[in-house]
């Protein structure tokens, strides 16, 4: 961990530096680091271990001339026609113009999207509002150099408070323990959880004679309503799906981890920063924990403990 790698990187800066300083053959280095000999040769020739920038230095069309691009840009800005209408109108003047070359031209000049016109789109429906304590829960897969891990994530629909754990397995007993840990970590009462229909959370339809699922038993013990998403409708649980992506973008998709311990530490740091320091537009500029503390003043009956006591750092109160 410590360097930012692009998505297709097969080496770290430390490996690249070792290749440049080594006197071994390309074949030996290739076998040692599990990479292609061409990759070894490439880093042998370079003086730096940083990735080179990709893409053209001066983006320009290989199909259109500067005069033709100027015609396209002027036409688009003047008419504000959609892409296909622009194509059909300009093709008599520029016969070799294709839809893809027209789109790339508009993108280069920052006019590929037309300005929104009031009334041309239906108004977005707002999510049904719930009091704090409605958690979306899901499982995702992440990986380090040591192997795969299962990422359990829960996020409050209203406060956006997030809780996450990493496990080597994703069985129903682990899912039930995750729920118990989530209940203990939250300073207020959880009244509803929403999960998919995975076997970690509920019995399959054909298992009608099976025992009451352990996850449901934990819900019953704590007075929690367990809701399930519709089959083949993963977007019903979209809030936690989006949180999964946010966590991955900040961790495994951005950094290399030599072992599980590095990822677990970084994940804990990220979740703390998210809950206590990240200001969210949907919460009107508050952090998730600031929102929770605000709810404590207006709805104290929903809380188990004073959330101010769980803030990081020194907690001092005067009477």
């Amino acid at each position: 961990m410590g360097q930012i790698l692009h998505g297709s990187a097969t080496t770290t800066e430390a490996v690249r530096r070792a290749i440049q300083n080594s006197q071994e053959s390309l074949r030996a280095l290739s076998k040692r680091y599990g990479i292609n000999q061409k990759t070894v040769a490439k880093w042998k020739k370079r003086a730096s271990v940083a990735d080179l920038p990709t893409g053209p230095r001066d983006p320009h069309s290989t199909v259109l001339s500067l005069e033709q691009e100027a015609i396209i840009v002027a036409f688009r800005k003047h008419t504000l026609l959609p892409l296909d209408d622009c194509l059909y109108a300009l093709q008599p003047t520029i016969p070799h113009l294709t839809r893809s070359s027209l789109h790339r031209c508009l993108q280069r000049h920052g006019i590929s999207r037309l300005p929104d016109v009031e009334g041309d789109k239906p108004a977005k429906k707002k999510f049904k509002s719930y009091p704090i304590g409605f958690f979306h829960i899901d499982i995702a897969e992440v990986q380090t150099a040591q192997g795969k891990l299962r990422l359990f994530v829960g996020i409050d629909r209203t406060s956006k408070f997030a809780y996450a754990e990493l496990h080597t397995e994703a069985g129903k007993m682990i899912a039930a323990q995750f729920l118990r840990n989530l209940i203990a970590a939250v300073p207020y009462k959880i009244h509803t959880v929403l999960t998919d229909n995975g076997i970690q959370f509920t019995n399959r339809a054909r298992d009608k004679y099976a025992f009451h699922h352990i996850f449901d038993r934990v819900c019953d013990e704590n007075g929690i309503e367990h809701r399930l998403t519709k089959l083949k409708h993963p977007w019903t649980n979209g809030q936690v799906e989006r949180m999964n992506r946010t966590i991955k973008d900040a961790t495994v998709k951005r950094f290399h981890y030599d072992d599980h311990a590095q990822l677990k530490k970084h994940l804990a740091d990220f979740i703390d920063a998210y809950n206590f320091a990240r200001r969210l537009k949907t919460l009107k500029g508050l952090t998730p924990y600031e929102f929770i503390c605000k709810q404590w003043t207006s709805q104290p009956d929903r809380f188990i403990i004073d959330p101010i006591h769980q803030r990081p750092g020194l907690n001092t109160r005067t009477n």
Side-chain angles (χ1 to χ4, degrees):
M1 184 179 163
Q3 63 244 298
I4 299 174
L5 305 173
H6 65 79
S8 300
T10 56
T11 57
T12 63
E13 290 184 3
V15 171
R16 297 166 188 174
R17 195 173 293 109
I19 289 172
Q20 292 172 354
N21 296 330
S22 175
Q23 300 299 320
E24 293 182 276
S25 66
L26 299 183
R27 184 177 180 181
L29 290 171
S30 171
K31 186 176 181 180
R32 177 190 298 274
Y33 297 111
I35 55 179
N36 193 286
Q37 289 189 32
K38 292 181 179 179
T39 305
V40 177
K42 176 184 72 174
W43 290 111
K44 274 278 190 183
K45 293 177 182 177
R46 292 190 186 174
S48 170
V49 294
D51 290 308
L52 296 179
T54 59
R57 295 182 181 179
D58 181 23
H60 65 278
S61 175
T62 57
V63 177
L64 303 170
S65 66
L66 294 177
E67 293 78 10
Q68 289 170 338
E69 287 209 22
I71 292 171
I72 292 171
V73 171
F75 183 83
R76 171 75 159 197
K77 288 182 176 179
H78 180 71
T79 62
L80 296 179
L81 288 174
L83 179 67
D84 290 320
D85 292 343
C86 284
L87 177 65
Y88 303 144
L90 289 167
Q91 274 181 332
T93 306
I94 312 174
H96 60 278
L97 181 66
T98 63
R99 193 176 190 275
S100 59
S101 61
L102 173 60
H103 176 61
R104 288 194 297 270
C105 175
L106 298 179
Q107 277 189 320
R108 280 193 298 275
H109 294 275
I111 52 174
S112 60
R113 293 180 65 90
L114 291 172
D116 292 333
V117 179
E118 188 175 353
D120 65 347
K121 292 181 181 178
K124 291 183 179 179
K125 294 182 180 179
K126 292 185 177 180
F127 283 114
K128 182 179 178 181
S129 60
Y130 287 90
I132 57 173
F134 189 131
F135 270 83
H136 296 244
I137 296 176
D138 193 28
I139 306 172
E141 186 178 283
V142 293
Q143 190 164 356
T144 70
Q146 191 176 343
K148 294 180 181 179
L149 286 172
R150 290 350 185 244
L151 173 66
F152 285 74
V153 178
I155 184 169
D156 190 298
R157 184 188 187 102
T158 304
S159 71
K160 309 304 178 189
F161 180 85
Y163 181 78
E165 289 181 0
L166 288 166
H167 295 277
T168 54
E169 300 294 337
K172 60 183 180 180
M173 300 302 292
I174 295 175
Q177 188 57 47
F178 171 79
L179 179 57
R180 294 189 189 99
N181 296 343
L182 173 62
I183 293 168
V186 176
Y188 48 86
K189 301 171 186 173
I190 298 176
H191 56 81
T192 309
V193 295
L194 177 67
T195 69
D196 59 26
N197 293 265
I199 57 174
Q200 298 90 351
F201 304 116
T202 188
N203 292 323
R204 296 169 296 184
R206 64 175 179 267
D207 298 333
K208 58 183 179 179
Y209 298 113
F211 290 108
H212 197 40
H213 198 280
I214 181 64
F215 192 87
D216 286 319
R217 294 208 298 271
V218 176
C219 289
D220 294 343
E221 290 168 4
N222 293 275
I224 298 172
E225 178 188 356
H226 182 198
R227 296 186 187 179
L228 299 172
T229 61
K230 293 181 181 179
L231 290 172
K232 299 181 180 180
H233 285 66
W235 53 88
T236 313
N237 215 9
Q239 289 213 29
V240 71
E241 296 279 358
R242 182 64 184 87
M243 190 62 198
N244 286 342
R245 195 163 81 231
T246 298
I247 291 173
K248 288 182 179 180
D249 288 344
T251 55
V252 293
K253 288 188 177 181
R254 190 170 179 83
F255 297 100
H256 170 80
Y257 298 93
D258 294 325
D259 53 44
H260 296 341
Q262 283 186 344
L263 176 56
K264 288 180 179 180
K265 184 179 184 304
H266 192 195
L267 175 64
D269 292 341
F270 173 78
I271 293 295
D272 283 344
Y274 171 86
N275 286 328
F276 295 98
R278 186 166 184 174
R279 301 192 176 278
L280 302 178
K281 183 178 179 181
T282 186
L283 301 180
K284 297 182 179 179
L286 298 176
T287 68
Y289 217 79
E290 286 174 343
F291 181 86
I292 290 172
C293 292
K294 186 177 180 181
Q295 293 294 302
W296 158 257
T297 60
S298 59
Q299 303 179 49
D301 56 309
R302 294 191 174 277
F303 285 76
I304 303 169
I305 60 173
D306 184 343
I308 296 174
H309 292 166
Q310 289 190 320
R311 282 181 178 275
L314 295 174
N315 292 310
T316 56
R317 300 188 64 180
T318 57
N319 295 324

